[in-house]
């Protein structure tokens, strides 16, 4: 029903997106460094559920809903842009810390870790853009049920996202140890991450609604 090319295409798109620093990566790294890998994986479980929510919503007509009610897309876009700007400010402000710095970071219980991972992903503009704009381009109505194709492509995207994010969780502690002994690299990482987050926020805020 879904071509191999379509599955590989959405997997490559997701690989490129998941490797770009964004809200999900910032949250997963912060939790993993602060509370350990188990906390990182609990947070990742929340992120994965967020992916599943978008996947199911898209399969059952979210794209059409945003097309006919553009105001809903605008609300999500503004919320995501503001969240990205807040993350960028937290990173770049005077006295701000790197996402690999554990100092001053609170320790959260598992339920809060899961919930924040879920909320962070639901407000992630990259994921909204992926499901509302990019994923439909890999769907061919002539090949059968659009809903089933959406679910298959969504599962392929989730597989890539969870795999790469798992590697990020596993490697966060090692990266933190490396950067803690190299202040210059830590400052560079902080400024690069903050700049990327700010640029994503501006891009999102100025983008047109998905069609």
């Amino acid at each position: 029903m879904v071509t191999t090319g379509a599955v590989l295409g959405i997997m490559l798109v997701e690989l490129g997106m998941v490797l770009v620093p964004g809200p999900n990566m910032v949250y997963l790294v912060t939790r993993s460094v602060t509370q350990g890998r188990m906390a990182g994986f609990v947070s990742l479980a929340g992120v994965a559920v967020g992916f599943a929510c978008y996947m199911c919503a898209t399969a059952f007509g979210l794209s059409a809903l945003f097309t006919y009610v553009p105001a809903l897309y605008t609300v999500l876009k503004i919320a995501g842009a503001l969240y990205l700007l807040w993350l960028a400010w937290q990173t770049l402000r005077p006295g701000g810390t790197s996402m690999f710095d554990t100092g001053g970071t609170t320790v959260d219980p598992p339920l809060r870790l899961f919930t924040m991972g879920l909320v962070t992903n639901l407000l992630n503009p990259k994921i909204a853009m992926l499901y509302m704009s990019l994923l439909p381009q890999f769907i061919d109505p002539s090949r059968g049920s659009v809903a089933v194709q959406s679910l298959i492509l969504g599962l392929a995207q989730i597989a890539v996202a969870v795999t790469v994010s798992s590697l990020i969780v596993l490697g966060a502690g090692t990266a933190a140890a490396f950067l803690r002994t190299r202040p210059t690299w830590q400052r560079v990482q902080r400024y690069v991450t903050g700049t990327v987050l700010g640029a994503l926020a501006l891009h999102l805020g100025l983008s047109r609604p998905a069609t």
Side-chain angles (χ1 to χ4, degrees):
M1 182 176 292
V2 177
T3 65
T4 302
V7 173
L8 292 177
I10 200 67
M11 292 177 73
L12 286 174
V13 169
E14 174 57 23
L15 179 61
M17 295 179 73
V18 76
L19 291 176
V20 175
N24 288 348
M25 183 184 292
V26 172
Y27 185 70
L28 291 175
V29 168
T30 301
R31 292 299 94 193
S32 300
V33 172
T34 303
Q35 296 182 234
R37 291 173 177 172
M38 183 57 68
F41 282 117
V42 172
S43 301
L44 178 56
V47 170
V49 172
F51 283 130
C53 290
Y54 267 117
M55 178 183 68
C56 293
T58 299
F60 295 105
L62 181 63
S63 297
L65 178 62
F66 277 107
T67 299
Y68 290 109
V69 189
L72 293 178
Y73 176 83
T74 301
V75 170
L76 178 63
K77 182 176 73 170
I78 292 174
L82 291 175
Y83 184 58
L84 283 175
L85 285 174
W86 180 80
L87 289 175
W89 168 246
Q90 291 295 109
T91 304
L92 294 174
R93 66 182 173 82
T97 59
S98 164
M99 63 179 173
F100 292 98
D101 186 358
T102 61
T105 306
T106 59
V107 176
D108 294 324
L111 180 58
R112 179 171 174 79
L113 290 171
F114 179 89
T115 302
M116 287 303 298
L118 172 62
V119 172
T120 296
N121 200 22
L122 291 178
L123 290 179
N124 188 343
K126 291 196 302 181
I127 307 306
M129 178 179 68
L130 173 69
Y131 277 96
M132 291 185 291
S133 298
L134 296 179
L135 188 143
Q137 297 181 32
F138 293 92
I139 294 174
D140 183 357
S142 67
R143 299 188 67 87
S145 171
V146 170
V148 173
Q149 291 185 63
S150 297
L151 291 174
I152 293 173
L153 293 173
L155 288 173
Q157 175 267 325
I158 292 173
V160 173
V162 171
T163 299
V164 175
S165 295
S166 295
L167 295 176
I168 291 172
V169 169
L170 291 172
T174 302
F178 173 85
L179 291 172
R180 274 196 293 269
T181 61
R182 295 166 176 80
T184 299
W185 278 102
Q186 192 167 8
R187 285 195 296 271
V188 169
Q189 181 274 325
R190 181 162 65 91
Y191 291 135
V192 168
T193 300
T195 301
V196 169
L197 290 172
L200 285 172
L202 290 176
H203 174 74
L204 179 67
L206 296 174
S207 65
R208 292 179 175 273
T211 56

